Amino acid sequence: MTATRDWAREWAEGDGQPLQLLGHDGRILRPEVARPPDDLVREGLRLMLLSRAIDERCTNLQRQGRLGLYAPVLGQEAAVVGSHLAIDPAVDWLVPASREQPAMLRHGWPLDRMLALMLGRFEAARIPDDVRMLPRQQSIGSQLPHAVGIAWSASIERRDDVTLAYCGDGATSEGDFHEACNLAGVMQVPLVLVVINNQYAISTPIAKQTRAARLADRARGYGFPGVAVDGNDLLAVHEVTSQAVERARSGQGPTMIEAVTYRLGFHNTSDNPSLYREPAEVARAEELDPVARVVAYAETQGLVDAAAVEAQVLEARAEVATALERALTYPTPGPDDVFRHVSAEEDQRASE
Amino acid sequence: MDVGRDVTLLEATRRALVDAMEASERVVLLGQDVGRLGGVFRATEGLLERFPGRVFDTPLAEGGIVGASVGLAIGGLVPVAEIQFAGFLHQAFHQITQQLARYRFRSRGRFHLPVTIRAPYGGGLRMPEFHPDSLEAQLANVPGLKVFAPAFPDDAYALLREAVRDPDPVLFLEPQRLYRSVRGPLHLDDTGSSAARLRREGDDVLLVSWGPAVHTCLTAAQELETGHGVQAAVLDLRRLSPIDDRGLCEAAAARRRVVVVHEGVRTAGLGAEVVARLQEALADTISLPILRVAAPDTPYPPGRLEDHFLPSTGKVVAAALRAVHGR
């Protein structure tokens, strides 16, 4: 089906509303579009529930003073998981922004290592050598030129890996976003850029980041396709990202995907969203919960039932608990670690 | 270009790029106008034809050039990026300081970035604003970043080969007014070290400098000898970060009088770092006068005003005499 349908064109020719395949109640809106394999939906749901379990546990740990700072994925799970399910972690590169925990896990960063980072066990948190993923980025948008460079290296070396990069709505105001998109367009690199528009950069709403109606419109100015998709619709996000990945892999250049979603939680554990948004707005967004939507879909398709979902939630919590125990066994850094990994010479001196 | 024949600093730079690209297929060049034009100074002239698919003209975006170089290196290549003039490194500063220089650190050693950034700098060519700025102090202040500054053709070659070979990022500052004005023998030395090097012997006073100001010091040393009977040695620092403490301190301890000369502005300039290192290393054993000759704390001025801004031979001579005679 994706071979004949051009989602970016369809969106550009439409009314500007983000593309949707599932209704808010999980029913199929577009029966003519091929549905993903059942196993992919099950894996998506598993990752989304795992993400919730991590959010829940890490937020609690922070409140107990056992963890410094945590940024939950809450509300954005379908945008993150649906897009990442479109790439092959064994081949493709993942360039995260910062709150794409389920994508990082699926890419191969073990959960105990991820938790180790949040617990300050930096050495243990190192991304394994065979995992093609960059560290989380604290400088907003700075990862985007890196993503273009990786994708460009694939073009230069005629490799067939695709780079999947994430950024948020706030990052689209940064110069790096512009320079990266422009270079990606000029060099026609195999890049898929997913802009997770969760409506807020800390307290700043999207209306104060841009006067543009949709962020995906910007792609046209860089000479490549852009498409806005309902970021709470696992199937729609997966569908448009899969097509973008195909385009990239077959040498047709980059695509920008705006996944329109909502940050249900706080920016991070030191934030207080009640200072800048109305409870009614949050309540409306909660009705569009991406996990509830995919559960409803999976139930109507007979992939899961309520008991199975409940079991998966418990399983996810247990997985986090086990990983947390392991993470706490990793060494905390000592004074010598200040000098490690500054340069090859420093590391050479340290090992002598 | 034959080995043994005198070449310009520009020719030596180009030869280093050619040899680095011959030595490894992973070396790629990128930057504004580096391809068809061969760079605004022609440092990369002919390389696009010689290495098709490995030399890239980029959009006019310094941060993007450095940021893309980070990604190219992570993707397995060895990028040599050109920033057309070092004064425009500011437009890439966040990518240099936050990303390029600390990627090894921030990834706990998972990634290291063999990236070289070439950037012409320095005054004396009546250039437009920003183009002649000397930013070495700001660059030396970045942990994880090496800074090289050749002053002679043989160093342009040896240091650039070393920079490209380095597993970590190197900011390579090329003295633009010396590109064509300085000639010297080309040694295809790609095994040398970037340690500080004495460019002139002399027992009375040590002039410490780097890049274009080394030549100011050499002229001043000649004048000190013929006009004042003072024997001045000239130490070319070559690697501005990390500074070669041993070479610096040994050369200073042997003369006991030091003048540091640079084209960057005085306050928090790299000269201050040189002075502090000498004091820390030698404070217990030697009391030595150390003076600075630097650009004043003003923006780089336009046109002929630069003659009043750059360290002159006269100022260096005066400072050296004060260091020797205490006046």
Side-chain angles (χ1 to χ4, degrees), chain B residues 199-315:
Chain B
R199 291 290 182 179
R200 190 187 203 276
E201 293 288 349
D203 294 337
D204 298 332
V205 58
L206 180 71
L207 308 179
V208 179
S209 194
W210 52 88
V214 170
H215 295 271
T216 312
C217 289
L218 286 170
T219 310
Q222 189 62 41
E223 207 172 304
L224 282 163
E225 182 178 356
T226 52
H228 305 275
V230 169
Q231 300 299 324
V234 176
L235 185 73
D236 178 357
L237 218 47
R238 300 171 81 230
R239 190 183 65 220
L240 309 188
S241 181
I243 286 176
D244 173 14
D245 282 314
R246 192 172 153 195
L248 173 67
C249 292
E250 282 177 4
R255 281 101 189 163
R256 296 181 173 239
R257 287 163 180 85
V258 179
V259 178
V260 192
V261 182
H262 58 77
E263 291 193 8
V265 298
R266 179 183 207 80
T267 296
L270 198 63
E273 181 63 30
V274 170
V275 172
R277 280 173 184 252
L278 287 173
Q279 288 292 355
E280 284 166 354
L282 304 175
D284 302 333
T285 50
I286 307 175
S287 167
L288 72 172
I290 318 175
L291 302 173
R292 285 184 288 170
V293 178
D297 293 329
T298 71
Y300 200 102
R304 291 182 185 181
L305 272 178
E306 73 178 342
D307 296 341
H308 305 284
F309 175 87
L310 292 171
S312 63
T313 307
K315 285 177 188 163

Side-chain angles (χ1 to χ4, degrees), chain A residues 46-76:
Chain A
R46 185 189 74 80
L47 285 164
M48 291 168 76
L49 293 173
L50 179 60
S51 180
R52 289 246 156 135
I54 297 165
D55 280 359
E56 189 181 83
R57 191 63 194 264
C58 288
T59 303
N60 286 340
L61 286 173
Q62 194 278 336
R63 299 304 186 223
Q64 294 162 15
R66 295 167 65 192
L67 181 150
L69 195 69
Y70 181 73
V73 192
L74 191 66
Q76 304 172 201

